[in-house]
Amino acid sequence: MEQNLILAGVGGQGILTIAQVISIAALRRNLHLRQAEVHGMSQRGGAVQSHLRIADHELYSDLIPTGRADLIFAVEPLEALRYVQYLHEDGVIVASTNAFVNIENYPAIEQVLDRIGAFPRHVLIDADGLAKTAGSIRAANIVTLGAGSLFLELDPGDLEEAVAEMFRAKGEKIVATNRRAFRLGRNAAAAYRDGLQRGGTSRAVRSWIDGLSPDELLKPEPPTPPSFDAADLVEARLTGAEATAFERTLLRAYEENRRPLYEHEVYMLVELVGAISPPRYVFVPRDGLLAREALEQFPGDRVVLKLVSQDVIHKTDADGLVFVPRDYETVRRETERLLARHAGARVEGVLVVEFVERTQPGFGNELFVGVRATREFGPVIAAGLGGIDTEYLATKMKPGLAVAKACAMDTTAEEFLELFRRTAAYEILAGQARGHRRIVSDGELLRCFRAFISIARHFCVDRGAEGPDVAELEVNPFAFRQQRMVPLDGRGRLGPAAKRPPARPLDKVRRLLEPRAIAVLGVSSTAQNFGRIILNNIRQCGFPADHLYVVKDKERTIDGVHCVPTVAALPEPVDMLVIAAPATSIPEIVEDVLGSGKVGAAIMIPGGMGETEGTAEIEKKIRLAIGLGREQVGGGPVFLGPNCMGIQSRPGRYDTFFIPAAKLDTRWGAPPRRVALVSQSGAFIVSRLSNLETLDPALSVSLGNQIDLTIADLVEAVGERPDIDVLGVYAEGFTNLDGLDFVRAVRTVTAAGKTVVFYKAGRTPSGRTAAAGHTASVAGDYDVCLAAAANAGALVVETFKEFEQLLEVATALHSKQLGGLRIGALSNAGFETVGMADCTVGAEYQVTMASLSDESRARLAAALQKHKLDALVNARNPLDVTPMAGDAAYENCVRVLLESPEIDAVIASLVPLTPAMLTTPDEIARPGSLVERLPKVLAATPKPVVVSIDSGGLYDAMARALRAAGVPVFRSCDQAMRALGRYLCHRAARAAAQAGAAAGRPRDASTPVGV
């Protein structure tokens, strides 16, 4: 028996410990042993290696000839490749995947691991991660030893006992840690070997092992690999090796108590994960010197000198950038001058960078890509033209055309590329704009986007004690060389990411919407306060009296409702408690609620908490109490509000809104429609209900300050209901990461075929500091919100009126079929037919006026002749029936258009002042009026129909009557065309997205068809 071992790593990683353990085990078997000296830079961080030979016969040399090594132990992966020439054809490489980045231009870690993986016999393990699992990262060398023990001709029990002997003097705890490290390494190596044999790639097998629990890896037998058919798919996430290498670079800045990341550190980070191949660069510390030999390795005849300082963000503006000839003396002299100009700043040194010739000079020859952590949406990614071009375009173009932006946690690289293809930036870079040629390939963009999304998902999130979070990371700009991306500048910043609050138990939200029992706290027995108004609203809505209670001491009944002295005294658990007491009493009430165990959900009506002076402490106490309740079995009760109006629930038979009936007709007797409103503002809801007086939503929810329940919670709970087809959402702000949850809830709701109409308030951007990066300036939270919501399938609107109009249209037309985007239009006024034709193309929609077939034209001519209009009207689309047309003629023409196969939807517009029609409040009640006719037409056709009535208040009654019958009505034909066009294009885009998803194409829910 003879085994020749190469031990490799960097100083401080403990290769001598590995050698000592193997030596102890070998000597116990009376084997011969030879170990060479440790060679290399043995100080911490320097490359080191040693030879170890064991045999059952005498050995005469401690050196291993080239091609004779049986096994390479490498505690650092790049060091494994340094000695592969020693390996014989059946030799094995056992390497840790954890890079120790001790050189500039350290290659992408997965490229290093791929090189190792090309050897037929190899094992790759996350030694650092397994060592942490064992109890100490310092045991990474013992993990590597355990992995290599699979290939040593030594008993693993002897090796483990040798480990114990080595560490016994340090105590049993250290011994136990290293025993676990050895076993974890051995089992992980066995699992890796078996996974490769099952057909998995190295990345897929490592990903599977990373997901195993410590218990699974510490069992006597290694875990059985799965099928790797699905696991081999490329995903937007970092491998364990990439994450470890990335984190080590972050830790260096963090341990220096530094939050900004320098340009060369950004280069190193993105190169490690395979995003870019940076230009050649060398960092020269302030008191250091650039080696002449290093400068000679730079290509070209020029280099760029860049100041490296925490105090200088934009180098060009601060005179921190110099272009110089690639001459050693010139570079040295200009470096000294650059440092002298910034003698008062915190300067770390100078970065010497290769000068990159641009593929295409002028406008649009650069790209920026960045990620940042946001409080509401988690990590986001943005991309656009580089330099200041993007900021300029972003101020001049509509959202989404200058910059692509998305939630990184909810977007794949392929989907983000689809978003980017819709920007002006892509058209320029891809050579689609006149005067430009393609300077970057889609494959290169996809590789870059995938890497940045991976970084964002792993590091732009709250990682707790695991390590520092990345607040922002961007490369701006990328230049291009042979359609490859080359970074010319980069910046980053460390900072804590938002922490996700504990999840709310949504089953209690569902019961809140349709409670079995209700209690109201804060009811006055002597006055009509908010509590008493709410109590009587609930009674009048028909909620069962035997499950309705008032929490009030010293009263037996109020308005016929049974009273109990405390929440704990309730005779049964209640699904909903309405708290209408003063704000100062809420903390104590919340504690009573938590202690009672009687309440599933509570609505906190009072306002002012956290908003007015002296109330911040009240809010703090409430949040603390709710947080403690979340630790209860079942998650404790959920709380809606405060500063809210609560809920109107027709299915639940209750109404907590405290608006007097004389000021808002709730139309409680009308059947509920399949629409719901979820709003942060109660005033927004009641204003919409007043304007859309016949909307009759099944549910209206006012959230208020979201101290507990959030917009996403309610969108999920309401949107999943089978009696809801359309959801209108108004949001001002989101709690921590609730924006991301909202986007996901929208995607779920719209994937079920429902419509979400969304208005986001708070669009004014906050002030930008000089240190802010391009990612923050062009992809603020408002922009990201709109882009993410639209991409998830929401119908995003910009005005309150547009919200109302599209909500009305979506509710009325949800069940109608979508055949296409060809519009039929008619009016009794010529200006309207012209106006409607002019409005077929608009912001975020494009429809067409249908061309009538000969058959349809003939049928239309027959209808006109029947009503003696043929001498006045040409049979065409759009159709001007003139003021001479009466109700019957108008209806007949609408039906002909709807029956025409070349028409997909109809706009029926009229100016009601004509004496030929029944349109005044007195006339519409007569038989044969359009108020009687049009609802029947709409009910009978599968096609979408909208109506426009363009006149003043005298004709409000006509509009109201049509709306009450379910007909969407507009007060001008151009608004009707815009609303119908947006709705049809949105539905067409949703249908295309769902078809694409079924076919396996990237999701793309937001592109209007035809735009």
Side-chain angles (χ1 to χ4, degrees), residues 6-9 48-49 72-87 92-96 106-119 122 124:
I6 302 281
L7 310 178
V48 293
Q49 58 92 7
I72 295 176
F73 282 92
V75 192
E76 204 286 335
L78 191 60
E79 294 303 316
L81 296 176
R82 194 188 298 272
Y83 306 107
V84 293
Q85 69 273 16
Y86 284 92
L87 205 64
V92 181
I93 300 176
V94 174
S96 168
Y106 193 105
I109 182 58
E110 284 296 333
Q111 293 180 12
V112 174
L113 301 183
D114 287 344
R115 288 280 304 277
I116 296 173
F119 286 82
H122 76 278
L124 291 169

Side-chain angles (χ1 to χ4, degrees), residues 269-565:
L269 289 171
V270 292
E271 185 181 18
L272 281 170
V273 299
I276 60 165
S277 298
R280 181 173 291 278
Y281 65 92
V282 172
F283 172 64
V284 182
R286 181 168 190 158
D287 297 325
L289 290 174
L290 174 66
R292 190 183 297 270
E293 295 78 12
L295 184 62
E296 290 173 353
Q297 295 180 24
F298 278 69
D301 56 5
R302 286 197 290 171
V303 294
V304 186
L305 307 181
K306 298 184 177 185
L307 193 73
V308 178
S309 169
Q310 294 187 52
D311 299 331
V312 177
I313 304 298
H314 304 292
K315 303 180 189 70
T316 303
D317 297 341
D319 194 22
L321 189 69
V322 183
F323 296 87
V324 299
R326 187 174 63 85
D327 171 74
Y328 182 77
E329 292 302 325
T330 303
V331 169
R332 184 183 61 77
R333 181 177 65 252
E334 292 301 325
T335 298
E336 292 174 354
R337 289 179 178 176
L338 181 59
L339 292 171
R341 285 200 299 272
H342 297 274
R346 290 178 295 174
V347 175
E348 300 294 327
V350 171
L351 191 65
V352 183
V353 187
E354 169 192 352
F355 176 78
V356 178
E357 292 283 356
R358 309 296 176 87
T359 300
Q360 180 173 286
F363 175 78
N365 65 341
E366 296 175 335
L367 170 73
F368 103 87
V369 182
V371 293
R372 71 183 183 95
T374 70
R375 183 186 62 80
E376 297 178 333
F377 296 93
V380 300
I381 179 172
L385 291 181
I388 61 173
D389 291 344
T390 284
E391 293 186 31
Y392 173 76
L393 290 176
T395 63
K396 301 298 181 182
M397 303 179 74
K398 289 189 68 65
L401 295 181
V403 181
K405 50 234 172 205
C407 296
M409 300 297 289
D410 197 54
T411 306
T412 67
E414 290 77 11
E415 289 164 358
F416 189 71
L417 178 59
E418 289 299 318
L419 292 176
F420 186 65
R421 282 181 175 138
R422 301 212 302 267
T423 65
Y426 178 80
E427 292 184 358
I428 293 170
L429 296 173
Q432 297 175 3
R434 185 176 179 183
H436 292 264
R437 59 189 177 88
R438 180 181 277 275
I439 56 176
V440 62
S441 68
D442 281 5
E444 185 79 349
L445 289 171
L446 190 63
R447 183 169 68 97
C448 176
F449 294 158
R450 181 174 291 122
F452 271 86
I453 290 173
S454 301
I455 291 168
R457 290 182 176 183
H458 198 103
F459 288 99
C460 294
V461 295
D462 174 42
R463 302 194 303 136
E466 186 179 343
D469 308 330
V470 173
E472 189 173 14
L473 186 79
E474 69 180 28
V475 171
N476 184 33
F478 281 108
F480 304 97
R481 185 164 52 189
Q482 298 178 337
Q483 294 201 13
R484 298 298 299 271
M485 300 168 63
V486 183
L488 300 187
D489 199 0
R491 66 182 302 277
R493 181 169 51 86
L494 303 181
K499 296 183 182 295
R500 177 178 289 280
R504 282 70 58 197
L506 284 188
D507 58 317
K508 296 178 181 178
V509 183
R510 298 180 183 105
R511 292 199 293 272
L512 170 65
L513 300 176
E514 286 192 73
R516 180 182 178 276
I518 296 176
V520 184
L521 188 155
V523 178
S524 171
S525 60
T526 59
Q528 286 293 319
N529 68 342
F530 282 175
R532 195 160 183 179
I533 293 171
I534 292 168
L535 175 68
N536 285 308
N537 282 352
I538 296 171
R539 289 176 56 244
Q540 292 163 10
C541 290
F543 192 84
D546 53 343
H547 294 293
L548 179 61
Y549 308 96
V550 173
V551 179
K552 189 171 184 64
D553 196 14
K554 300 178 182 178
E555 296 286 346
R556 297 191 63 183
T557 63
I558 296 178
D559 295 334
V561 178
H562 177 62
C563 296
V564 297

Side-chain angles (χ1 to χ4, degrees), residues 631-801:
E631 299 174 4
Q632 295 178 355
V633 176
V638 295
F639 293 83
L640 186 72
N643 190 25
C644 75
M645 298 184 68
I647 301 174
Q648 282 186 345
S649 173
R650 293 171 186 261
R653 294 179 292 177
Y654 72 87
D655 176 9
T656 70
F657 288 10
F658 39 85
I659 305 298
K663 296 194 174 185
L664 179 66
D665 182 4
T666 58
R667 289 172 47 89
W668 210 259
R673 298 197 181 180
R674 300 176 63 82
V675 57
L677 292 170
V678 174
S679 171
Q680 209 170 334
S681 165
F684 180 86
I685 290 182
V686 295
S687 297
R688 292 331 102 199
L689 294 179
S690 179
N691 291 340
L692 300 173
E693 53 190 324
T694 60
L695 185 66
D696 303 328
L699 291 160
S700 298
V701 183
S702 162
L703 286 109
N705 293 3
Q706 302 182 90
I707 203 167
D708 187 31
L709 288 178
T710 67
I711 293 173
D713 293 335
L714 270 300
V715 168
E716 181 178 349
V718 174
E720 71 183 12
R721 291 178 59 93
D723 57 349
I724 299 298
D725 295 328
V726 179
L727 191 57
V729 182
Y730 168 90
E732 294 172 357
F734 297 94
T735 61
N736 283 8
L737 301 179
D738 194 60
L740 175 61
D741 292 340
F742 166 73
V743 169
R744 290 171 170 171
V746 167
R747 192 180 298 283
T748 300
V749 171
T750 56
K754 304 183 180 186
T755 301
V756 176
V757 181
F758 177 54
Y759 181 92
K760 175 66 172 70
R763 67 185 66 187
T764 304
S766 59
R768 180 179 168 227
T769 66
H774 293 260
T775 311
S777 64
V778 301
D781 288 354
Y782 177 78
D783 300 318
V784 170
C785 179
L786 296 195
N791 195 41
L795 185 49
V796 178
V797 300
E798 295 186 353
T799 68
F800 295 158
K801 181 54 66 177

Side-chain angles (χ1 to χ4, degrees), residues 606-619:
M609 278 178 275
E611 299 173 337
T612 58
E613 187 175 351
T615 62
E617 189 62 28
I618 295 175
E619 180 179 343

